[in-house]
Amino acid sequence: MAKPQKRYVCQACGSVSHRWAGQCADCAEWNTLVEEAGGTVTPFQAKHNLQSGGRAFQLVGLDAEIALPERMPSGIAELDRALGGGFVEGSATLIGGDPGIGKSTLLLQAAAKMALAGLPVVYVSGEEAADQVRLRARRLGLGNAPLQLAAATSTRDILTTLGQGRPPALLVIDSIQTMHSDLIEGAPGTVSQVRASAQELIRFAKERGTAVVLVGHVTKDGSIAGPRVLEHMVDTVLSFEGERSHQYRILRAIKNRFGGTDEIGVFAMVAEGLAEISNPSALFLTQRDEGVTGTTVFPALEGTRPVLVEIQALVVRLASGATPRRAVVGWDSGRLAMVLAVLEARCGLSFSTSEVYLNIAGGYRVQDPAADMAVAAALVSALSERPVPVDAVAFGEIALSGEIRPVAHGALRLKEASKLGFERALVPAAVTDDKSGLKLAGFKTLGAFVDHMLGRG
């Protein structure tokens, strides 16, 4: 006789256990194991051999001819840039971000613009009533868009409705945590419900050629909530980042099966919704008519897009015996400690009796190792109270030996700096590009760079 098999599923990571425990053995979270109804095990199922009885399929080689996937422009250039050119037919995209960051606003704008372009688009909201979405569309100036709107949470009802007529070109589900499948026991938002609902929607996308966009909640640490398998199931994962206190938003691709993951889209939250920022350097640079100590402009690179940001440093000398503090906003604190150690060991500068504060202006986050030299310039300027020239940019990677190493795409960084009116650049000695028109000052070691900053020769 078939016996039901009990299983306990972790609501944080999706791991399955056959007995309950207070702590998950995989992710170490407490009180996350929830009992779910499992399948039945019969003697036939236990002994059945899967090596026969199936349907044989054809194997093809890597050299088989294949056409590039067709792209559907969203009408928002910054969104298309992050996607790699637009939505792909039959693709599944997952977008996550903090509450109130603008996920629903961005997707509503894209869906309405695609509908105005003549494509059939369906927007299903599981968190808001249809009237609420309609009012937001009117506030954004898109109330006349021929967008098909619905408020539903049942996956069966959604797929049944969409299966009655022509499949839409784009289907937006806001959000996947509110969807419910009657094939699985459990409340909406649980691991099994999220996985089952997403699987059915992705299957519909692959079979009917509809581009499906799923909105996902995020946890307190910024990762997408629910099972990690959800990110493996979709084709593209987008992260919508930014501080609610700041105006700008950054759309970043974490995973993309149809393009690269090194492109970003930059938006600004305005009264009419999310506005595209074609020149993001203007957001992260302050207007300065004269030099200020402790500030340096760094040409960061996001994919193929250079973004000029301002790095600010403050060095405060303390009384003897006090413990100095190190505070970093927008950069890696471990990398700051490394730059400080190299400045002290290789250049003779002492920060041990001073507090050091480092900030990236505008709330921008820098992960480019080329920022080492710009950070060192800001620290030396703040310590010596000698301002960096306002018409200069700096970039380069610092090694523990004190060597300044070249970085990728130096010519692209210099070209963007020249376009914004900068006249000189502090760069590694290996950078010899002169097409930008900037006056280059190259340095092989950090000691030579510090001597230049302090006017020692």
Side-chain angles (χ1 to χ4, degrees):
M1 180 178 178
K3 295 182 179 180
Q5 184 182 27
K6 289 186 178 181
R7 66 174 186 174
Y8 298 87
V9 180
C10 176
Q11 302 301 297
C13 67
S15 64
V16 180
S17 175
H18 296 295
R19 62 178 61 183
W20 186 87
Q23 185 182 32
C24 176
D26 293 331
C27 65
E29 293 289 335
W30 289 92
N31 300 321
T32 57
L33 292 179
V34 177
E35 181 181 354
E36 293 186 358
T40 59
V41 178
T42 65
F44 175 78
Q45 291 174 332
K47 299 179 181 179
H48 186 57
N49 186 3
L50 295 180
Q51 296 183 4
S52 62
R55 178 177 58 87
F57 52 85
Q58 182 182 3
L59 300 176
V60 297
L62 285 175
D63 56 350
E65 293 293 333
I66 184 172
L68 292 176
E70 294 290 336
R71 297 279 185 173
M72 294 184 296
S74 65
I76 302 177
E78 294 298 308
L79 175 58
D80 291 341
R81 175 191 288 268
L83 289 170
F87 291 106
V88 177
E89 295 182 1
S91 65
T93 302
L94 175 65
I95 179 171
D98 293 333
I101 203 70
K103 302 183 298 295
S104 300
T105 301
L106 174 64
L107 292 178
L108 182 60
Q109 288 181 247
K113 290 185 178 182
M114 292 179 68
L116 289 172
L119 296 174
V121 181
V122 175
Y123 189 103
V124 178
S125 175
E127 299 180 347
E128 299 176 287
D131 290 340
Q132 291 178 282
V133 181
R134 193 176 295 112
L135 288 174
R136 182 190 296 127
R138 291 180 180 176
R139 187 174 68 250
L140 299 176
L142 301 170
N144 60 342
L147 177 67
Q148 300 298 312
L149 183 63
T153 58
S154 172
T155 306
R156 183 184 295 273
D157 294 346
I158 295 172
L159 296 179
T160 301
T161 303
L162 297 178
Q164 292 179 352
R166 176 188 174 189
L170 177 69
L171 171 63
V172 178
I173 303 294
D174 187 7
S175 65
I176 188 61
Q177 274 79 14
T178 61
M179 295 296 110
H180 177 269
S181 173
D182 54 12
L183 298 177
I184 302 294
E185 295 182 3
T190 59
V191 169
S192 57
Q193 284 289 349
V194 170
R195 183 169 52 223
S197 299
Q199 185 176 7
E200 293 300 323
L201 291 168
I202 294 173
R203 180 185 301 174
F204 173 82
K206 302 300 182 184
E207 294 177 352
R208 306 299 296 272
T210 298
V212 174
V213 180
L214 308 176
V215 177
H217 296 171
V218 295
T219 59
K220 60 182 179 181
D221 60 352
S223 59
I224 296 177
R228 205 56 195 270
V229 68
L230 185 60
E231 298 185 34
H232 295 287
M233 294 167 60
V234 298
D235 300 308
T236 306
V237 180
L238 301 178
S239 176
F240 209 31
E241 306 170 359
E243 299 291 338
R244 297 185 64 178
S245 58
H246 290 92
Q247 184 185 22
Y248 81 94
R249 305 286 190 269
I250 293 179
L251 184 66
R252 192 185 307 271
I254 301 176
K255 168 189 175 182
N256 193 351
R257 289 174 178 165
F258 304 106
T261 57
D262 52 1
E263 296 288 355
I264 64 170
V266 184
F267 301 87
M269 181 64 75
V270 296
E272 295 78 17
L274 288 167
E276 302 176 60
I277 302 298
S278 57
N279 183 17
S281 298
L283 283 177
F284 309 116
L285 285 181
T286 58
Q287 300 297 326
R288 292 181 289 123
D289 296 330
E290 58 184 16
V292 180
T293 59
T295 61
T296 311
V297 176
F298 165 60
L301 201 66
E302 295 284 355
T304 59
R305 161 179 280 176
V307 180
L308 268 65
V309 297
E310 185 179 274
I311 297 178
Q312 304 169 347
L314 177 64
V315 177
V316 182
R317 292 178 175 84
L318 297 178
S320 177
T323 302
R325 182 184 179 190
R326 306 286 188 260
V328 186
V329 177
W331 205 49
D332 184 12
S333 58
R335 204 158 187 91
L336 172 63
M338 184 202 74
V339 173
L340 290 173
V342 176
L343 284 171
E344 187 155 348
R346 307 296 181 185
C347 306
L349 299 180
S350 177
F351 293 87
S352 58
T353 59
S354 303
E355 290 187 341
V356 177
Y357 300 90
L358 188 72
N359 176 52
I360 308 299
Y364 190 80
R365 291 198 61 85
V366 173
Q367 299 175 348
D368 193 343
D372 291 350
M373 194 166 169
V375 170
L379 292 172
V380 173
S381 172
L383 182 67
S384 63
E385 296 185 357
R386 288 173 174 261
V388 178
V390 294
D391 60 347
V393 297
F395 64 87
E397 183 179 359
I398 297 176
L400 293 180
S401 61
E403 176 191 4
I404 297 180
R405 297 180 176 177
V407 294
H409 305 291
L412 191 60
R413 302 173 194 263
L414 295 174
K415 181 179 178 182
E416 179 71 11
S418 175
K419 187 190 306 180
L420 293 178
F422 290 88
E423 298 179 357
R424 68 180 82 176
L426 309 175
V427 298
V431 178
T432 58
D433 176 77
D434 58 354
K435 296 181 181 179
S436 61
L438 295 181
K439 181 180 179 182
L440 303 184
F443 305 93
K444 291 183 178 180
T445 63
L446 186 59
F449 174 65
V450 172
D451 291 340
H452 174 79
M453 290 280 300
L454 299 180
R456 295 174 178 172

